[in-house]
């Protein structure tokens, strides 16, 4: 069972999300919070697996809450929620360690699926969202320079991270053991100075890896 915390200053949004997620047999909504400060307290108290976090809230906003949550021991996966398209807020959230982002208009069936994806440790980004994130972030030349120090195999692993693949999926695709993949992923993150797979995956797209 995957536990989910909902964070949005609009209670109707929380109620809507609760209705959708509670209908899934493997998901349970363990709580709600209505600003960033409450979100951090709720994470400490409830220890959810996934947090759906609104980025724009009064008082303590989602970005500030994300920063505090990311500093906790064994933090949950945080998925940024927004009614807006890709913008500076979303980019800052991704760079701060968010597992991805969803528009609040995401179809109910896709919302359930993507919460499961986030809980599994994968990046939650639709292909369209990824394209727009890349367009709004740093230029491809800069990204290609950053990855130039990787070995050919490390570059292949980075491309897989860009596709949101798990270690097991990378193992199957590249015909490597999972232990070997884990080592490559660690090397890639260290060399690129990326503190999570999401940042590395975004860099892969910026560099044009497929």
């Amino acid at each position: 069972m995957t536990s989910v915390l909902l964070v949005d200053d609009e209670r109707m949004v929380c109620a809507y999300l609760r209705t959708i997620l509670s209908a899934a047999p493997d998901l349970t909504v363990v709580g709600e919070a209505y600003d960033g400060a409450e979100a951090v307290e709720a994470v400490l108290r409830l220890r959810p697996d996934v947090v759906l976090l609104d980025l724009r809230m009064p008082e303590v906003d989602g970005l500030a809450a994300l920063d505090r949550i990311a500093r906790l021991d064994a933090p949950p996966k945080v998925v940024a929620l927004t009614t807006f398209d890709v913008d500076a807020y979303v980019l800052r959230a991704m760079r701060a360690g968010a597992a991805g982002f969803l528009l609040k208009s995401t179809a109910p069936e896709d919302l359930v699926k993507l919460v499961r994806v986030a809980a599994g440790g994968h990046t939650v980004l639709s292909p369209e969202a990824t394209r727009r994130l890349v367009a709004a972030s740093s230029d491809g030349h800069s990204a290609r320079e950053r990855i130039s120090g990787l070995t050919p195999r490390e570059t292949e692993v980075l491309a897989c991270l860009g596709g949101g693949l798990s270690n097991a999926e990378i193992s199957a695709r590249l015909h490597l053991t999972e232990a070997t993949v884990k080592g490559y992923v660690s090397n890639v993150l260290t060399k690129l100075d990326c503190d999570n797979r999401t940042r590395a995956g975004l860099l892969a797209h910026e560099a044009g890896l497929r």
Side-chain angles (χ1 to χ4, degrees):
M1 185 68 74
T2 296
S3 57
V4 183
L5 172 67
L6 307 175
V7 184
D8 197 296
D9 62 312
E10 296 186 27
R11 293 175 185 257
M12 288 295 293
V13 172
C14 286
Y16 169 73
L17 294 173
R18 178 182 285 273
T19 298
I20 293 171
L21 298 178
S22 296
D26 57 332
L27 303 178
T28 180
V29 177
V30 294
E32 298 176 11
Y34 308 110
D35 69 28
E38 287 184 13
V40 177
E41 293 172 0
V43 167
L44 289 169
R45 184 175 72 255
L46 301 171
R47 290 295 178 180
D49 299 309
V50 177
V51 179
L52 296 185
L53 177 68
D54 185 21
L55 289 181
R56 288 176 168 82
M57 294 181 290
E59 305 298 333
V60 180
D61 68 10
L63 289 172
L66 174 59
D67 181 65
R68 297 179 191 179
I69 291 170
R71 297 173 187 272
L72 300 176
D73 291 333
K77 305 298 181 184
V78 178
V79 177
L81 285 176
T82 179
T83 55
F84 298 83
D85 213 326
V86 175
D87 61 8
Y89 265 74
V90 173
L91 289 169
R92 287 169 62 192
M94 295 295 293
R95 288 167 178 156
F101 90 97
L102 297 174
L103 296 176
K104 293 182 185 179
S105 58
T106 299
E109 61 273 19
D110 290 335
L111 177 65
V112 170
K113 178 179 70 175
L114 292 170
V115 168
R116 291 172 178 148
V117 169
H122 308 308
T123 303
V124 179
L125 286 175
S126 68
E128 179 62 20
T130 300
R131 285 193 292 273
R132 294 184 183 186
L133 272 172
V134 171
S137 57
S138 64
D139 65 272
H141 178 70
S142 175
R144 287 190 292 274
E145 284 189 341
R146 283 188 65 185
I147 71 169
S148 62
L150 300 180
T151 67
R153 180 63 88 182
E154 288 168 346
T155 303
E156 289 180 316
V157 170
L158 178 62
C160 290
L161 294 179
L165 301 187
S166 66
N167 285 355
E169 291 167 330
I170 297 173
S171 171
R173 175 172 293 189
L174 300 183
H175 307 291
L176 301 169
T177 66
E178 284 194 51
T180 299
V181 169
K182 184 177 180 181
Y184 275 122
V185 170
S186 178
N187 288 343
V188 167
L189 296 183
T190 298
K191 285 186 175 182
L192 298 180
D193 193 27
C194 292
D195 55 11
N196 57 59
R197 298 166 72 101
T198 300
R199 289 191 184 183
L202 181 56
L203 183 61
H205 284 278
E206 292 172 354
L209 296 183
R210 296 290 186 272

